[in-house]
Amino acid sequence: MGYKIKCDRGVGGILTRILIACFLVSVYFYFSASSDSFIARRKPGKENTKNKNSKTPPILSCDLKDIRSEVCEINSNVRIHSSSSSIFFSYNQPMDLETNKTWRVQPYTRKFDDLVMKSVRPVTIRPFYAYTEAPKCDLNHNITAVVFSSSSYLGNFYHDFSDVLLPLFITARQFEGEVQFLIADMQLWWVEKYKKILNQLSNYEIIDSSKEKQVHCYPSAIVGLYSHGELTVDPSRTPNSYSMLDFARLIRRAYFLDRDFAKNLAAGGKTKPRLLIIARNQTRKIVNVGEVVAMGDELGFEVVVSDPASHTTVDGIARLVNSIDVMIGVHGAGLTNQIFLPTNAVLIQIVPFGNLEKFAEYDYGFAAKNMMLQYLQYSISEEESTLIDIYPRDHPVFRDPKSIHRQGWAKIDEIYLRQQSVKLNLPRFRPVLKRALELLT
């Protein structure tokens, strides 16, 4: 049973209805998407997915107090005017916002790092009402937008993952590809380098918001990326309980990596377990790497020495690391390559002298454990540090490392990370390699 409409058959009534119809059509095309204006092109075989969340999200929700990142979620006729770094959203409810209230977000995940954040261009979010002006849509989309910056430590493998790619996974994985990325300060080479990962998270072309002149409109947007810590995902804080293990699986799909699990020595077989020693060319080198290779060979490993930086593509290092059962490296960005290791593989982190154990475990140990890797940590002694060739043994560098720590991170970095390399004591390190073999059984 429907409503009956009484019609006025006079000429005035007809003209009135025509004018009303024209007005409604113009409003529709102004505020909503027309089917032929979508710029976001879907990749073949990708289907649109509906939001399965039955709860009505708030029009605007911002978390600006988190120590790592600032994030705003908007769910109301979003208009992105990239050239002015401005995002507008419609707000037609009774006023419970301050007049002309705006929000300023720097969409990078190192909010605590003042030096880095100086280079991150802020985005301004502001509501518009029926009586205020807003930029007209040039292009309409029926998906969610995610706006973020990839600047600052761009190109450092650790920071690429910890500051951008993992937070992007946390933020965008819930949309199952039905999301478009708008990157501020975008570098094309960076997008090309990680395009296989980006393509796992979005079915659409990436927009360089620093150069885009047109106004893009979306039903919803997330400005900024959620971050749970250094190289980590907290399943209790993700929409669908995604974890570091889920991220590792996504990486394997992205690079078509064959091995899901490391070698099980108990199952037998003629092939030796593969041991990778991460080489470094400047600081924190293993200066007696040849002797370590010989010991690994003696214990039954097939030993490989490689500098990840020498690989021209991510594909090359990904395939190499995925073929490995045990990976050794001195604390540093090279250990980020653990994301390519198969489940149950062993990661051995060598911690330089200087009371750095907590830093080391926080940066790489927790990630390894959360990806279901076996984790071993080896702290070198004074005698294994090349600092003994630089400083007298009664220097605070050896006798009182905490006094160095009290001088701040710059001093820690200068002495314990940039001036130091490692000469492993083979009898002392040998039990660690033997333990790695035990963990593979």
Side-chain angles (χ1 to χ4, degrees):
M1 180 176 179
Y3 293 101
K4 293 182 178 179
I5 302 175
K6 183 177 179 180
C7 297
D8 183 349
R9 300 181 184 276
V11 174
I14 293 173
L15 289 173
T16 300
R17 290 198 299 276
I18 291 172
L19 289 171
I20 292 172
C22 289
F23 174 76
L24 292 174
V25 169
S26 65
V27 170
Y28 174 80
F29 280 103
Y30 187 76
F31 282 102
S32 63
S34 59
S35 60
D36 60 351
S37 67
F38 294 155
I39 187 98
R41 303 187 197 103
R42 195 187 317 283
K43 296 188 180 76
K46 299 287 187 178
E47 297 297 328
N48 198 357
T49 57
K50 295 181 180 179
N51 187 353
K52 300 178 179 62
N53 189 353
S54 60
K55 289 185 177 181
T56 302
I59 291 176
L60 176 69
S61 175
C62 290
D63 182 0
L64 305 180
K65 295 181 180 180
D66 185 84
I67 191 173
R68 298 192 64 85
S69 61
E70 299 174 333
V71 183
C72 283
E73 295 194 23
I74 316 168
N75 296 282
S76 180
N77 189 14
V78 180
R79 303 178 181 205
I80 301 179
H81 191 252
S82 297
S83 60
S84 66
S85 297
S86 297
I87 297 177
F88 301 82
F89 69 97
S90 64
Y91 193 83
N92 56 8
Q93 301 299 317
M95 285 287 290
D96 60 359
L97 294 174
E98 299 173 27
T99 304
N100 297 323
K101 171 71 175 179
T102 61
W103 292 261
R104 183 176 176 273
V105 175
Q106 288 183 279
Y108 191 69
T109 63
R110 293 188 75 81
K111 181 181 173 181
F112 56 89
D113 192 331
D114 293 338
L115 183 62
V116 166
M117 296 304 287
K118 286 179 181 178
S119 66
V120 178
R121 185 171 58 169
V123 175
T124 301
I125 302 170
R126 65 183 79 236
F128 68 87
Y129 308 92
Y131 55 83
T132 62
E133 292 187 0
K136 188 174 181 179
C137 299
D138 294 315
L139 297 161
N140 291 278
H141 310 268
N142 65 347
I143 53 177
T144 297
V146 172
V147 180
F148 64 96
S149 174
S150 63
S151 63
S152 298
Y153 289 120
L154 196 68
N156 178 292
F157 201 62
Y158 172 78
H159 288 288
D160 285 346
F161 278 88
S162 188
D163 298 349
V164 183
L165 295 172
L166 261 170
L168 189 59
F169 170 81
I170 292 168
T171 306
R173 183 67 184 91
Q174 61 183 305
F175 300 108
E176 298 180 2
E178 293 304 297
V179 62
Q180 186 163 43
F181 302 146
L182 292 88
I183 306 180
D185 310 309
M186 188 179 94
Q187 297 293 326
L188 189 59
W189 67 264
W190 188 90
V191 172
E192 183 66 22
K193 180 177 182 178
Y194 295 113
K195 66 180 180 180
K196 291 188 176 180
I197 300 174
L198 297 170
N199 287 344
Q200 288 290 314
L201 295 170
S202 172
N203 301 332
Y204 299 89
E205 294 176 325
I206 294 172
I207 296 174
D208 183 349
S209 64
S210 301
K211 298 178 181 178
E212 184 59 46
K213 303 300 182 184
Q214 294 179 303
V215 176
H216 291 256
C217 297
Y218 300 85
S220 59
I222 300 176
V223 184
L225 300 176
Y226 291 104
S227 175
H228 297 165
E230 300 290 339
L231 210 65
T232 191
V233 178
D234 180 354
S236 69
R237 297 168 62 190
T238 56
N240 295 302
S241 300
Y242 295 121
S243 66
M244 278 296 292
L245 187 57
D246 291 312
F247 181 72
R249 289 167 177 159
L250 179 141
I251 293 296
R252 290 173 200 156
R253 289 195 302 272
Y255 293 102
F256 301 99
L257 303 180
D258 296 330
R259 298 180 77 214
D260 289 325
F261 295 94
K263 183 177 180 61
N264 183 351
L265 297 182
K270 296 181 180 180
T271 59
K272 296 180 178 181
R274 284 170 60 83
L275 169 67
L276 171 64
I277 301 174
I278 298 291
R280 295 178 60 93
N281 290 325
Q282 296 179 353
T283 63
R284 282 164 282 154
K285 297 182 293 185
I286 301 176
V287 296
N288 60 335
V289 66
E291 296 175 342
V292 179
V293 169
M295 184 171 67
D297 184 65
E298 177 196 341
L299 290 172
F301 287 103
E302 177 188 345
V303 185
V304 179
V305 180
S306 180
D307 176 8
S310 67
H311 292 263
T312 56
T313 65
V314 178
D315 300 63
I317 188 63
R319 285 192 295 271
L320 171 61
V321 175
N322 187 247
S323 73
I324 296 300
D325 301 294
V326 178
M327 187 170 88
I328 298 174
V330 181
H331 177 77
L335 293 180
T336 310
N337 290 286
Q338 64 177 288
I339 60 174
F340 305 122
L341 285 170
T343 302
N344 290 334
V346 182
L347 175 67
I348 303 173
Q349 179 173 196
I350 298 172
V351 183
F353 182 82
N355 212 13
L356 303 176
E357 285 73 17
K358 289 184 179 179
F359 294 118
E361 186 171 27
Y362 181 68
D363 287 346
Y364 299 105
F366 292 153
K369 296 170 187 176
N370 291 334
M371 286 190 292
M372 304 299 291
L373 302 177
Q374 314 271 12
Y375 178 67
L376 298 174
Q377 188 164 294
Y378 177 82
S379 298
I380 70 168
S381 62
E382 291 180 27
E383 288 73 18
E384 293 172 286
S385 171
T386 58
L387 291 175
I388 62 175
D389 300 324
I390 304 173
Y391 297 95
R393 299 298 285 272
D394 60 353
H395 195 279
V397 164
F398 299 112
R399 300 282 73 86
D400 189 13
K402 288 184 179 180
S403 69
I404 306 298
H405 284 236
R406 286 193 291 270
Q407 297 178 51
W409 177 253
K411 184 59 71 172
I412 296 171
D413 181 60
E414 175 193 343
I415 295 175
Y416 293 125
L417 298 182
R418 298 191 182 277
Q419 294 182 5
Q420 183 171 198
S421 285
V422 173
K423 184 177 182 180
L424 289 173
N425 179 326
L426 298 185
R428 186 170 181 261
F429 187 67
R430 185 183 183 92
V432 180
L433 282 183
K434 293 180 72 174
R435 177 57 181 158
L437 285 170
E438 293 172 1
L439 290 174
L440 293 175
T441 58

